[in-house]
Structures are given as C-alpha cells and as structure tokens.
Amino acid sequence: MDAEAAKLLGAGLAAALGMLGPGLGLGLIGFATMQGIARNPEASGRMFTNMILMAGLTEAIGIYVLIVAIILAMVV
C-alpha cells in the first residue's frame, strides 16, 4: 500500500468512526422525544422545539468531523 492510499484510508476511517457518535446521538434524541410525546402529548410543542435545537447541535459535530476528514485527505 502506498502512502496516498494509506492517507485516504485513514481519512475515510476517521470520518466513518467520527460520524458514529452524531448518528447514534440523533437516533437517541428522536427516540427520547417520541417517547416523551407519547407519554405527555400536551408538551409536544416544547419537546419538539428542544429536539430540533439538540439535533442541530449534534449535527454540527458531524459537520466538524467531515471538515476534519477533508482536511486530512487534502493536507497530510
């Protein structure tokens, strides 16, 4: 394996493993919100607002991982 292939493999693994956390986090956020709405339908508006906020913050981590993987692929 040459250096270019190792570099791209490393960047791909960094992106794949780095996206694991935000992916699981988004699933857990949605799961918890749906359970909360099922238990207390009157509070669905507040729960949905908080879910959107937390999903956006979690997705930002995924975007940071993507940017780091692109930088690794281009620079190193």
Side-chain angles (χ1 to χ4, degrees), residues 34-51:
M34 291 298 114
Q35 273 197 336
I37 290 173
R39 292 174 188 235
N40 189 4
E42 299 88 31
S44 65
R46 288 179 45 212
M47 284 185 211
F48 186 73
T49 303
N50 289 335
M51 180 194 74

Side-chain angles (χ1 to χ4, degrees), residues 21-27 29 52-63:
L24 289 172
L26 286 170
I29 289 169
I52 295 296
L53 176 67
M54 292 310 298
L57 293 173
T58 305
E59 191 68 29
I61 295 170
I63 293 169

Side-chain angles (χ1 to χ4, degrees), residues 7-38:
K7 176 178 77 167
L8 294 175
L9 183 63
L13 283 173
L17 293 176
M19 291 289 184
L20 189 64
L24 289 172
L26 286 170
L28 289 174
I29 289 169
F31 172 74
T33 302
M34 291 298 114
Q35 273 197 336
I37 290 173

Side-chain angles (χ1 to χ4, degrees), residues 51-75:
M51 180 194 74
I52 295 296
L53 176 67
M54 292 310 298
L57 293 173
T58 305
E59 191 68 29
I61 295 170
I63 293 169
Y64 297 150
V65 168
L66 180 63
I67 290 170
V68 167
I70 290 171
I71 290 171
L72 282 175
M74 299 294 177
V75 174

